[in-house]
């Protein structure tokens, strides 16, 4: 990772100064596993799904995996997307996107991809 990106991420983390969890990281990990881009057994022996992974507080490997994707939300490209959809003129578009996400996520119980 380039030093400029690392510095940017460090600044974003320090702005918050409060740990709020790793929801973004966990949702990315689950989505990437479900889509076949990550192999759970690389982080927890004999695991086949995200549900099979060890708890992050029991495995440094799993914690690092989740934190890696959690921190990706602070990358400039992701922030640009977030800022675009946070503007008031995009609120309706964001609402439509959220409805689509909820609809797509409901397909998971039937084996579909969440996004």
């Amino acid at each position: 990772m380039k030093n400029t990106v690392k510095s940017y991420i460090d600044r974003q983390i320090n702005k918050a100064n409060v740990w709020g969890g790793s929801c973004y990281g966990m949702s990315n990990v689950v989505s990437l596993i479900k889509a076949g881009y990550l192999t759970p057994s690389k982080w927890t022996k004999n695991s086949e799904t995200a549900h099979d992974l060890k708890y992050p507080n029991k495995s440094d490997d799993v914690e690092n995996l989740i934190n890696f994707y959690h921190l990706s939300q602070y990358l400039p490209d992701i922030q640009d997307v977030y800022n675009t959809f946070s503007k008031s003129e995009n609120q309706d578009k964001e609402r439509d996107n959220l409805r689509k996400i909820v609809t797509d996520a409901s397909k998971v119980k039937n084996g579909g991809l969440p996004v």
Side-chain angles (χ1 to χ4, degrees):
M1 183 180 303
K2 293 181 180 179
N3 282 336
T4 54
V5 174
K6 184 180 180 323
S7 296
Y8 177 83
I9 291 171
D10 288 341
R11 284 193 308 274
Q12 295 302 314
I13 293 168
N14 290 332
K15 273 185 190 177
N17 205 22
V18 176
W19 181 249
S22 295
C23 298
Y24 187 87
M26 192 63 214
S27 64
N28 274 285
V29 168
V30 169
S31 296
L32 291 168
I33 288 172
K34 184 75 174 162
Y37 292 108
L38 293 177
T39 305
S41 60
K42 183 174 180 180
W43 289 274
T44 300
K45 188 177 179 179
N46 299 322
S47 62
E48 296 179 11
T49 67
H51 188 267
D52 297 334
L53 291 172
K54 288 182 180 177
Y55 291 122
N57 65 343
K58 304 281 187 201
S59 168
D60 287 342
D61 290 339
V62 175
E63 181 180 22
N64 289 337
L65 172 67
I66 293 168
N67 285 338
F68 175 83
Y69 285 100
H70 173 73
L71 293 173
S72 72
Q73 72 183 302
Y74 298 109
L75 293 171
D77 288 346
I78 302 298
Q79 286 294 300
D80 288 346
V81 170
Y82 174 76
N83 291 331
T84 297
F85 284 102
S86 295
K87 293 180 181 171
S88 61
E89 66 266 15
N90 293 315
Q91 292 298 314
D92 288 338
K93 199 181 297 184
E94 184 174 4
R95 197 175 357 266
D96 291 341
N97 285 337
L98 288 172
R99 283 190 187 110
K100 182 177 179 350
I101 289 170
V102 169
T103 300
D104 290 348
S106 68
K107 296 175 185 176
V108 172
K109 67 181 174 184
N110 298 319
L113 294 177
V115 289

